Structures are given as C-alpha cells and as structure tokens.
Amino acid sequence: MKKTDKIFYWVITVSFVLLFVFANNIVLSIPLMETYRLEEVESTKYDEYKRDFEAKIETFYVKQDIFFTTEFSGYAFIPTNQVSKYKTIKLIFVSNNKRYEVDTSIIERFNLRDLFRDKGIVGINHGFITRFSPLKMENGVYKLYIYCYENENTIGFMDTNRYFEKTYRTFKEVKN
C-alpha cells in the first residue's frame, strides 16, 4: 500500500468518525422554519419569579422526523388590568443538573375571555405554541415549568406538575 493511499484511508476514516460523533450538532445546525432552539440556562434564572397563574398544556406531540420535532401548545395568563403588548411565554425543562428553555409563539385565544371572565382576563393573546428538537438535551427526567411575562410588574414562573423523559432519541411524558 502506498503512503498516499494510507493517508487517504485515514482521512476518510477520521472524517466518518467525526461525522458520527457530531451528527446531532450537525443536524441541529440546519435552520428550520417555525422551530425554536432549545437553550441551556442557569439553574437559578427564574427562581425569583415563582408564582402561580392560569396555565395549561393542552397538546404534546412528538413527530417521528429526523429532528424528533416536539410540539407543545396551551395557554398562560396572569390576571391583570391591562393588555400586554410584549407578552412572553417560555417552557422551562428542569432536571437535577440541567435547565433548558424554549421560546413560544403567542397566538390569539378568543375563547379564553369567556372561559375565564371571572378571573379578570384582559386581551386575547394568551395562547402559545412551540416546536423544538429535544436532541440537544441530556438524557434524564425533566419537570416542566412555564414562564409568563405580561409586563414589568406581572411575571410568573409556575410548576405544571408534568414530567418528561429524554432518552437518546426519545422524548416522552412520564408519570411522577
């Protein structure tokens, strides 16, 4: 075997090994429309905002595509006297040693005004939907929290009492 053949063989072998090791990162670097990125955050980022409010996860779905795209939808609102122009809702996944957040898109939910009339709901922008890939998460069991920002004085961080398990390429809800 010639020296150039050996070098070529090793370059190809190393390339395949690197491709295998970094496959998830390569796949996750592909930009997708209507999909949010899961970001790791500090373990104490939302602790000062602990507060209960009205929230519900209505749907949870995992597509069997290359990204294992996960979708959550529901609603969240903090009763207030004013409509918030810059509302933010985030889903926070917390395990013993990791914490991840994912942004959501705010959607109009006309039906909530009538449903929660007695709770002082104002406005219609209380629904949310998000799609993300859980491939970046470490394996483990995660408790789901919701962060809701209505305005500077109306911020909440609430436990949903729902748990999700990430195991390699699967992401599913589990009972506590």
Side-chain angles (χ1 to χ4, degrees), residues 48-49 51 78 80 82-87 147-156:
E48 67 184 274
Y49 303 119
R51 165 186 183 173
I78 302 171
T80 179
Q82 60 189 14
V83 175
S84 177
K85 293 181 182 180
Y86 305 106
K87 183 170 189 165
Y147 167 81
C148 184
Y149 173 90
E150 295 272 351
N151 60 51
E152 291 177 10
N153 300 323
T154 315
I155 304 172

Coordinates of all heavy atoms in Angstrom, one line a residue, residues 48-49 51 78 80 82-87 147-156:
E48 N -36.6 33.7 41.2 CA -37.2 34.9 41.8 C -38.7 35.1 41.4 O -39.4 35.9 42.0 CB -36.4 36.1 41.6 CG -36.3 36.5 40.1 CD -35.4 37.7 39.9 OE1 -35.8 38.9 40.1 OE2 -34.2 37.4 39.6
Y49 N -39.1 34.5 40.3 CA -40.4 34.8 39.7 C -41.5 33.7 40.1 O -42.5 33.7 39.5 CB -40.4 34.9 38.2 CG -39.4 35.9 37.7 CD1 -38.3 35.6 36.9 CD2 -39.6 37.3 38.1 CE1 -37.4 36.5 36.5 CE2 -38.7 38.2 37.6 CZ -37.6 37.8 36.8 OH -36.7 38.8 36.4
R51 N -44.5 32.0 41.1 CA -45.8 32.5 41.3 C -46.8 31.7 40.5 O -46.5 31.4 39.4 CB -45.8 34.0 40.9 CG -47.2 34.6 40.7 CD -47.0 35.9 40.2 NE -48.3 36.6 40.0 CZ -48.4 37.8 39.7 NH1 -47.4 38.6 39.5 NH2 -49.6 38.4 39.6
I78 N -51.6 35.8 33.4 CA -51.6 36.3 34.7 C -52.7 37.4 34.8 O -52.6 38.3 34.0 CB -50.3 36.9 35.1 CG1 -49.2 35.8 35.0 CG2 -50.3 37.4 36.6 CD1 -47.8 36.3 35.2
T80 N -54.6 40.6 35.0 CA -54.1 41.9 35.1 C -55.1 42.9 34.6 O -56.1 42.5 34.0 CB -52.8 42.1 34.3 OG1 -52.3 43.4 34.4 CG2 -52.9 41.7 32.9
Q82 N -54.6 45.4 32.4 CA -54.2 46.0 31.2 C -53.7 44.9 30.2 O -53.2 43.8 30.5 CB -53.0 47.0 31.4 CG -51.8 46.4 32.0 CD -50.8 47.4 32.4 OE1 -51.1 48.6 32.5 NE2 -49.6 47.0 32.7
V83 N -53.8 45.2 28.9 CA -53.4 44.4 27.8 C -51.9 44.5 27.7 O -51.4 45.7 27.6 CB -54.1 44.7 26.5 CG1 -53.5 43.9 25.4 CG2 -55.6 44.5 26.6
S84 N -51.1 43.4 27.6 CA -49.7 43.5 27.5 C -49.3 43.4 26.0 O -49.7 42.5 25.3 CB -49.1 42.3 28.2 OG -47.7 42.3 28.0
K85 N -48.6 44.4 25.5 CA -48.2 44.4 24.1 C -47.0 43.4 23.8 O -46.8 42.9 22.7 CB -47.7 45.8 23.7 CG -48.8 46.8 23.7 CD -48.3 48.1 23.2 CE -49.3 49.2 23.3 NZ -48.9 50.5 22.9
Y86 N -46.2 43.1 24.8 CA -45.0 42.4 24.7 C -45.0 41.1 25.5 O -44.1 40.9 26.3 CB -43.8 43.2 25.0 CG -43.7 44.5 24.2 CD1 -44.0 45.7 24.8 CD2 -43.4 44.4 22.8 CE1 -43.9 46.9 24.0 CE2 -43.4 45.6 22.1 CZ -43.7 46.8 22.7 OH -43.6 47.9 21.9
K87 N -46.0 40.3 25.4 CA -46.1 39.1 26.2 C -45.1 38.1 25.8 O -44.9 37.9 24.6 CB -47.6 38.6 26.1 CG -47.8 37.4 27.0 CD -49.3 37.0 27.0 CE -49.5 35.9 28.0 NZ -50.9 35.8 28.3
Y147 N -42.9 29.9 32.1 CA -42.6 31.3 32.5 C -43.5 32.2 31.7 O -43.7 32.0 30.5 CB -41.1 31.6 32.1 CG -40.7 33.0 32.2 CD1 -40.5 33.7 33.4 CD2 -40.7 33.8 31.0 CE1 -40.1 35.0 33.4 CE2 -40.3 35.1 31.0 CZ -40.0 35.7 32.2 OH -39.7 37.0 32.2
C148 N -44.1 33.2 32.4 CA -45.0 34.1 31.7 C -44.7 35.5 32.1 O -44.6 35.8 33.3 CB -46.5 33.8 32.1 SG -47.7 34.8 31.2
Y149 N -44.5 36.3 31.1 CA -44.2 37.8 31.3 C -45.3 38.6 30.6 O -45.5 38.5 29.4 CB -42.8 38.1 30.7 CG -42.5 39.6 30.7 CD1 -41.8 40.1 31.8 CD2 -42.8 40.4 29.6 CE1 -41.5 41.5 31.8 CE2 -42.5 41.7 29.6 CZ -41.8 42.3 30.7 OH -41.5 43.6 30.7
E150 N -46.0 39.3 31.4 CA -47.1 40.2 30.9 C -46.6 41.6 30.8 O -46.7 42.3 29.8 CB -48.3 40.1 31.8 CG -49.0 38.8 31.8 CD -50.0 38.6 30.7 OE1 -50.4 39.5 30.0 OE2 -50.5 37.5 30.6
N151 N -46.0 42.1 31.9 CA -45.3 43.4 31.9 C -44.3 43.4 33.1 O -44.2 42.4 33.8 CB -46.3 44.6 32.0 CG -47.2 44.5 33.2 OD1 -46.7 44.3 34.3 ND2 -48.5 44.5 33.0
E152 N -43.7 44.5 33.3 CA -42.6 44.5 34.4 C -43.1 44.1 35.8 O -42.3 43.6 36.5 CB -42.0 45.9 34.5 CG -41.2 46.3 33.2 CD -40.6 47.7 33.3 OE1 -40.7 48.3 34.3 OE2 -40.1 48.1 32.3
N153 N -44.3 44.4 36.1 CA -44.9 44.0 37.4 C -45.6 42.7 37.4 O -46.1 42.3 38.5 CB -45.8 45.2 37.9 CG -45.1 46.5 38.0 OD1 -43.9 46.5 38.3 ND2 -45.8 47.5 37.6
T154 N -45.8 42.1 36.3 CA -46.6 40.9 36.2 C -45.8 39.8 35.5 O -45.8 39.6 34.3 CB -47.9 41.1 35.4 OG1 -48.5 42.4 35.8 CG2 -48.9 40.0 35.6
I155 N -45.0 39.1 36.3 CA -44.2 38.0 35.8 C -44.4 36.8 36.7 O -44.6 36.9 37.9 CB -42.7 38.4 35.9 CG1 -42.4 39.7 35.2 CG2 -41.8 37.3 35.4 CD1 -41.0 40.2 35.4
G156 N -44.5 35.6 36.1 CA -44.7 34.4 36.9 C -43.9 33.2 36.3 O -43.5 33.1 35.1

